[in-house]
Amino acid sequence: MAKTRDAGSNRFTGWPEEAFAFYAGLEADNSRAYWLEHKAVYESAVKRPFALLSEAVGATHSELLLFRPHRDVRFSKDKSPYKTAAGALGEREGGATYYVQLSAEGLMVGAGMYDLASDQLERFRAAVLDDNTGPELAAVAERSEGAGYALGALHTLKTAPRGIARDHPRIGLLRRKGLIISRSFPKAPWMSTPKALDRIVAVWTDAEPMQTWLERHVGPSTLPPPEFGR
């Protein structure tokens, strides 16, 4: 469960304009030459603010891990070497996560369980099917969408899962292989001020009912991590 943050200890003051300009430039020139020429900007305007954000929310929500900036192009037709957005993820003990992404367009803030492992997916579907616990999540999802949040998942089936009726009242949730809520914010001056922290935490606070449901009925995966390259 999220705790109340101590705003007095916060040194995070958002991302400077250079961060957004850096990614606009990277979209136009996704090359090693551009990256090396602007690496100092990435370090000071992108990486350091994310570290300060992690410090600000670490004790109240979770520390954030900034994803590496290089793309994995081994199995992709797109060989562009660098990601055109910076994303950071934090995971709670109960398995729910927090997410922040910065790009030239602005910020995206989310929370939930984006990609469920097979054991988590089994528990998720069982809880959604249950007429005691399923309607609770459906109500949370409906309220979230009504408040302007987007529901998402890494994968969503085009039809009903095997053995589940296509006209099930909660089929929209049952087709998902994960569940997050998110809000995208177009680039705005407040992103370069301490107000950015308040906006981020507000999304996570609104996500708390869903986070609590997911941790109570799904929880972390108990499976070993996948082994790649075999």
Side-chain angles (χ1 to χ4, degrees):
M1 170 112 18
K3 305 171 187 176
T4 303
R5 67 181 178 89
D6 179 7
S9 62
N10 170 40
R11 294 190 295 147
F12 173 68
T13 57
W15 292 267
E17 174 63 31
E18 290 83 357
F20 303 95
F22 168 81
Y23 279 107
L26 189 60
E27 288 181 2
D29 181 9
N30 198 309
S31 68
R32 186 168 184 270
Y34 176 91
W35 180 268
L36 291 177
E37 183 179 352
H38 296 85
K39 185 177 180 181
V41 177
Y42 170 80
E43 294 286 338
S44 64
V46 178
K47 189 174 181 179
R48 176 165 172 74
F50 266 108
L52 292 175
L53 173 62
S54 178
E55 181 182 293
V57 300
T60 58
H61 293 78
S62 71
E63 294 183 352
L64 300 174
L65 174 65
L66 182 64
F67 292 119
R68 64 195 301 267
H70 301 81
R71 296 181 62 248
D72 183 352
V73 300
R74 291 175 298 171
F75 308 107
S76 174
K77 293 182 179 179
D78 180 3
K79 299 302 181 181
S80 302
Y82 302 103
K83 299 172 184 175
T84 55
L89 182 76
E91 183 173 356
R92 299 167 16 153
E93 289 185 6
T97 64
Y98 300 111
Y99 184 70
V100 181
Q101 178 178 289
L102 177 144
S103 69
E105 287 71 40
L107 289 179
M108 191 273 277
V109 184
M113 294 183 177
Y114 188 51
D115 183 19
L116 296 175
S118 59
D119 61 329
Q120 292 176 301
L121 182 58
E122 182 178 351
R123 295 191 294 271
F124 175 75
R125 286 179 176 163
V128 174
L129 285 168
D130 190 297
D131 286 335
N132 291 315
T133 57
E136 178 187 350
L137 181 61
V140 168
E142 184 177 359
R143 287 196 302 271
S144 297
E145 289 187 304
Y149 289 103
L151 299 183
L154 179 60
H155 299 294
T156 300
L157 299 176
K158 294 181 178 180
T159 186
R162 182 177 301 177
I164 297 176
R166 294 184 180 184
D167 61 351
H168 190 282
R170 294 182 289 282
I171 193 61
L173 292 170
L174 290 164
R175 289 172 51 235
R176 299 180 184 275
K177 292 188 173 184
L179 184 63
I180 64 166
I181 68 167
S182 66
R183 175 164 286 168
S184 295
F185 298 97
K187 185 175 172 294
W190 59 261
M191 296 175 185
S192 301
T193 75
K195 292 181 181 179
L197 178 62
D198 296 323
R199 296 291 188 96
I200 292 167
V201 170
V203 173
W204 293 348
T205 299
D206 288 346
E208 188 58 35
M210 186 190 68
Q211 300 276 71
T212 300
W213 189 97
L214 289 170
E215 292 188 330
R216 181 181 299 136
H217 302 293
V218 179
S221 174
T222 59
L223 300 177
E227 295 184 30
F228 295 101
R230 294 185 63 181

